[in-house]
Amino acid sequence: MPKNPAKMHAAIGGTPDETEAAFYEAMQLGDIDKLMACWADEDDIACIHPGGTRLIGVGAIRAAFEAMFAHGGAIHVKPEHIRRVESLASAVHHVLETVEILTPEGPSKAHFVATNVYHKTPQGWRLVVHHASPGSPEDAAQHHQPPQVLH
């Protein structure tokens, strides 16, 4: 039996993509319970926010997201340009995150690069690592260039 029986009832689909969509939707809604339902109920799950320390375990991760939601409500983040490496029981997605932020000059966008690692658990696909680092507008611009074709 899982450590948190409520996770058994989490409305998360059967693919890493569906879990990822639920994770980002929960951030956009500022919904801590929905966000935590995306995470595996394991002692060694990890989350690293840009410029932050490594958070280990459900309690530390929940506390960090609760603090972020308390300071600004929802996090207006949009995952883009997802690249995937998947196998039968694990998946690694690296994404460009575009986050809307309010600066003294008005609304702006910040860019982050993130790696999300998912494992297939008895409860379905769950997040085990989220590691985000500062990105740049150049990261976003690179993804809008047409691919190079070699002949």
Side-chain angles (χ1 to χ4, degrees):
M1 174 160 249
K3 296 174 190 171
N4 182 352
K7 291 212 184 236
M8 293 290 292
H9 305 293
I12 297 176
T15 69
D17 285 338
E18 290 168 331
T19 302
E20 187 157 77
F23 175 68
Y24 284 104
E25 180 180 318
M27 278 197 276
Q28 292 169 8
L29 296 172
D31 185 333
I32 191 67
D33 291 328
K34 183 173 183 171
L35 183 129
M36 293 310 299
C38 297
W39 286 90
D41 196 12
E42 302 292 331
D43 293 336
D44 291 329
I45 62 173
C47 183
I48 304 166
H49 295 293
T53 61
R54 182 171 57 164
L55 304 168
I56 302 292
V58 173
I61 293 168
R62 182 181 188 99
F65 277 103
E66 283 177 334
M68 287 192 304
F69 292 159
H71 286 12
I75 301 168
H76 302 284
V77 59
K78 180 180 175 188
E80 301 173 323
H81 310 292
I82 301 168
R83 304 286 182 160
R84 298 163 181 84
V85 178
E86 297 184 2
S87 69
L88 292 175
S90 66
V92 178
H93 292 186
H94 53 98
V95 304
L96 173 67
E97 296 177 342
T98 302
V99 181
E100 293 177 20
I101 57 172
L102 188 57
T103 69
E105 294 79 33
S108 185
K109 292 185 180 186
H111 300 281
F112 300 93
V113 288
T115 302
N116 298 319
V117 180
Y118 301 91
H119 284 182
K120 191 170 189 177
T121 73
Q123 293 76 41
W125 286 94
R126 294 293 189 264
L127 188 59
V128 294
V129 175
H130 171 72
H131 184 178
S133 298
S136 68
E138 290 78 29
D139 289 318
Q142 287 177 348
H143 293 288
H144 294 295
Q145 294 177 357
Q148 300 280 334
V149 178
L150 299 177
H151 294 280

